[in-house]
Amino acid sequence: MARIVVVGAGVGGLATAARLAATGHEVTVLERADTVGGKLGRYTHDTAEGSFHFDTGPSLLTLPQVFHDLFEATGAKLDEYLDLSPLDPIVRHVFPDGVTLDSCADPDGFAARIGAALGERPAADWRRLWQRAARVWAASERDILRRTVDSPRDLAALAWRLGDLAAIAPGRTLRGLGRGHLSDPRLRMLLDRYATYTGADPRRAPAALVAVPYAELAYGGWYLRGGLGTLADALLTRCRDLGVVVRTGATVTRIDAAGGRVHGVRVAGTAAPIPADVVVANCDALTLYRDLLPHPRRLAALTDRSLAGFVLLLGVRGESGLAHHNVFFPRDYDAEFDAVFGAPGRGVRARPALDPTVFVTVADDPMVRPAGHEAWFVLVNAARHGTAAGAVDWRRPGLADAYADRILDVLAERGVDVRDRLLFREVRTPADLATTTAAPGGSIYGTAGGLLRPANRGPAHGLWLVGGSSHPGGGLPMVTLSAQIVADEIGPAWD
C-alpha cells in the first residue's frame, strides 16, 4: 500500500483518488478551496422569485462511456449517482446571416440538417470530412488518449498506419483542414470553433483536432439533471465511500522531492510535512513547475497559454425559446482571435473582442431556476488576465462592467435581447477564474491545445500530473482519461 497525496480536488484529482483507493492505496486529497470540483464550479443566486443555480465551468458532458468506466472501476454504477439526459440539439449554431444549424449525435441526421440549412454541396463536404475525422479519432483513441506520452519521441515512435498519418496531417492546421474540405464558410466557422475546446487559435491548432467534433457528434452531448456540478458531488461521495480522506481549505505550498523522488507535501499553516510515497498534482502544470516544485526547463515549455473566458450569469424573466447550448457567431472570426491572442510579434496587444462569438447555455431544468424564469450562462472567448502583450488586465476599473454591457448589446444585435428581462447579472472575468481555481491568468486549458501536453509523469520519481493542463488535454472526458492513465501507471497496491 502506497501513501498517496493528491493535490487538488478537481475532476481529475477526485477520479484518480477514487481509482487508486479502489485498488487498495491510502489516499489523501488536499484542496485549497472550500469546495471540490475545481473548474467544474457552481454558483447559487437567491432572489424573491426563488434560487438560480449555475454551472460556472463545463456545461456539456461528452464521451459518457469514459464516466461509466470510471464508476465501474471503483465498484459502482454511474446511473446510481447521476441522471444523464441526452441533448438534441447538442448545439444550435446561429451564423452571421441568421441561418441556424442544429447539431446532433446522428451523423446521417446531421448531414441532412446541413443539407436543409446550407445546401447539398456543404452536406457532401461534411460527409467527406466526417470520414477523415473518424480515422483521426480512431487513431487518437488507440494510440494517444489512453497511454502516457512523455515527449515528442513518444509520438514519433508510434506505429502510425500510413492512412492514419494522412488523415492526421502533421503540420497542417485545423483552419487549413477546413478550407481544404469545406466549401461553405459557415461550416468552416463551425469547425474553427472546436479549436477553442482546447483553448487554441484554429489558425495555429493542429488539424488532428478534427477528432474533437467527431467525439462530440458521434457519441452525443449530455446534460446532468441538477447541473454538471453534480458530477463533483458524485465523485466526492465515491471517494469517501472508498476511504479517501478529502481535506478542503488545505493549500499545498511545496512538494518535497529531495534525491529525485517525492517524500511528501507541505501545507500552509502546518509545521510538519505530510509524508507521501506518491504525489498526484491536479493543478495547472505552470503552477506545479513554478511554485510547488520549481523546474525551469519544464516551465519554459509552458509559455504558450490557452485562451480564457469572460462569463455572465443572468437571471432572466420569461422564456427565450433557445436551445440548451447556443452559439452566435460574429461576422469576422479572425478579428476575435486577433483580439484574444494578440500578435506580440507584430506589436498587437490582446484586448476584449468587440464582436465576439457568444455562447449561451440555457438549461431546461426546473432544478436550476424558478418557474417562469431562465438561468443563463453566457461565455465569450477572452484573453488571459495579466499585463503582458498577450493578456488583458481584467481588474482595470470599469472594464468588466463595460464589457458585460457590450456582450448584452451584441446579443441584442443578433436577435436575442434580454436587457429588459434581467432580474440580475453576475460577471466572472479571467482574473476571477485565476483567483478561484489557481489557474494562472485564468487560462482554462493550461497551454494552447497542441497534441503534446505536459507529461503525466513528473521529473521526480513518484510525481504524476492529471487534469486539463496535462496529457491528454482539457475537457471533462480528457481529464477523466488522464486519471485513468495515471492510476494504471501507479498500479494496484498489491503489485
Side-chain angles (χ1 to χ4, degrees):
M1 178 187 293
R3 297 168 301 175
I4 298 176
V5 170
V6 179
V7 182
V11 169
L14 293 174
T16 308
R19 283 183 174 273
L20 292 172
T23 58
H25 291 290
E26 176 186 312
V27 185
T28 299
V29 179
L30 303 175
E31 168 57 48
R32 65 187 290 275
D34 294 329
T35 58
V36 303
K39 294 189 183 76
L40 191 64
R42 287 169 287 186
Y43 173 71
T44 297
H45 187 103
D46 294 323
T47 71
E49 288 80 358
S51 295
F52 292 78
H53 304 274
F54 299 89
D55 287 317
T56 61
S59 60
L60 179 70
L61 187 138
T62 58
L63 297 178
Q65 68 271 27
V66 170
F67 302 94
H68 283 287
D69 291 346
L70 167 62
F71 278 81
E72 288 180 4
T74 66
K77 296 291 185 183
L78 179 68
D79 295 341
E80 297 172 352
Y81 290 82
L82 298 167
D83 183 5
L84 275 70
S85 177
L87 296 176
D88 185 7
I90 299 173
V91 178
R92 174 163 293 161
H93 306 86
V94 183
F95 298 107
D97 60 3
V99 171
T100 297
L101 175 62
D102 288 350
S103 64
C104 63
D106 174 7
D108 291 333
F110 185 43
R113 291 180 184 184
I114 293 172
L118 307 180
E120 284 308 312
R121 182 182 175 188
D125 291 344
W126 182 263
R127 290 188 181 96
R128 285 191 293 271
L129 182 67
W130 185 258
Q131 292 173 349
R132 180 171 188 154
R135 188 145 201 170
V136 175
W137 169 255
S140 300
E141 185 181 33
R142 181 186 68 238
D143 295 329
I144 298 176
L145 300 182
R146 295 181 182 270
R147 54 173 289 173
T148 57
V149 177
D150 293 337
S151 72
R153 289 192 302 273
D154 290 342
L155 284 177
L158 292 174
W160 297 110
R161 298 176 177 91
L162 289 179
D164 294 340
L165 275 175
I168 290 169
R172 195 174 189 182
T173 65
L174 188 67
R175 168 66 63 82
L177 185 70
R179 287 184 171 176
H181 284 75
L182 303 172
S183 58
D184 193 292
R186 292 163 294 190
L187 273 189
R188 295 199 296 265
M189 188 174 283
L190 183 152
L191 181 64
D192 275 353
R193 190 179 73 86
Y194 284 96
T196 66
Y197 277 42
T198 66
D201 182 335
R203 301 169 298 186
R204 299 172 53 211
L209 291 183
V210 72
V212 179
Y214 182 86
E216 178 177 293
L217 300 176
Y219 298 100
W222 304 77
Y223 173 68
L224 302 180
R225 294 293 181 188
L228 265 73
T230 58
L231 175 60
D233 295 335
L235 288 173
L236 177 61
T237 299
R238 195 77 208 105
C239 282
R240 285 178 168 161
D241 288 347
L242 292 164
V244 176
V245 175
V246 180
R247 289 176 51 190
T248 57
T251 300
V252 173
T253 59
R254 188 84 172 185
I255 295 172
D256 289 336
R261 66 169 301 119
V262 300
H263 302 284
V265 302
R266 297 183 179 273
V267 178
T270 302
I274 297 176
D277 305 302
V278 174
V279 174
V280 178
N282 179 214
C283 59
D284 195 293
L286 177 59
T287 299
L288 172 65
Y289 293 131
R290 183 190 63 194
D291 304 330
L292 304 185
L293 186 68
H295 197 289
R297 184 171 63 82
R298 298 210 177 193
L299 189 63
L302 302 176
T303 57
D304 187 15
R305 305 300 291 168
S306 87
L307 55 73
F310 186 93
V311 171
L312 300 181
L313 307 176
L314 307 179
V316 179
R317 300 181 184 88
E319 297 182 359
S320 63
L322 294 180
H324 186 102
H325 292 116
N326 310 267
V327 174
F328 298 89
F329 285 109
R331 295 196 176 276
D332 188 346
Y333 216 177
D334 281 0
E336 175 180 343
F337 290 115
D338 287 342
V340 169
F341 290 98
R346 294 187 281 117
V348 179
R349 296 187 62 89
R351 59 201 182 280
L354 290 179
D355 188 31
T357 303
V358 184
F359 178 78
V360 181
T361 298
V362 185
D364 184 15
D365 181 355
M367 295 177 68
V368 302
R369 43 71 175 166
H373 296 76
E374 294 177 332
W376 284 32
F377 172 86
V378 180
L379 170 70
V380 300
N381 299 323
R384 69 186 187 278
H385 172 64
T387 57
V392 168
D393 180 5
W394 288 104
R395 297 215 183 278
R396 193 167 75 233
L399 176 60
D401 280 336
Y403 196 48
D405 290 340
R406 175 59 191 158
I407 292 169
L408 292 176
D409 291 344
V410 168
L411 278 173
E413 292 165 6
R414 296 179 193 171
V416 185
D417 190 352
V418 293
R419 292 171 297 187
D420 63 348
R421 295 197 288 128
L422 289 184
L423 190 61
F424 65 87
R425 84 176 188 192
E426 298 279 350
V427 179
R428 300 286 185 273
T429 73
D432 297 320
L433 184 66
T435 298
T436 57
T437 68
S443 293
I444 299 172
Y445 303 97
T447 52
L451 286 180
L452 196 64
R453 295 277 186 163
N456 302 116
R457 193 187 312 272
H461 183 73
L463 176 63
W464 297 89
L465 283 71
V466 299
S469 75
S470 59
H471 177 74
L476 290 175
M478 296 301 106
V479 164
T480 305
L481 286 175
S482 78
Q484 180 179 344
I485 290 169
V486 168
D488 287 348
E489 288 291 320
I490 294 171
W494 48 81
D495 270 7

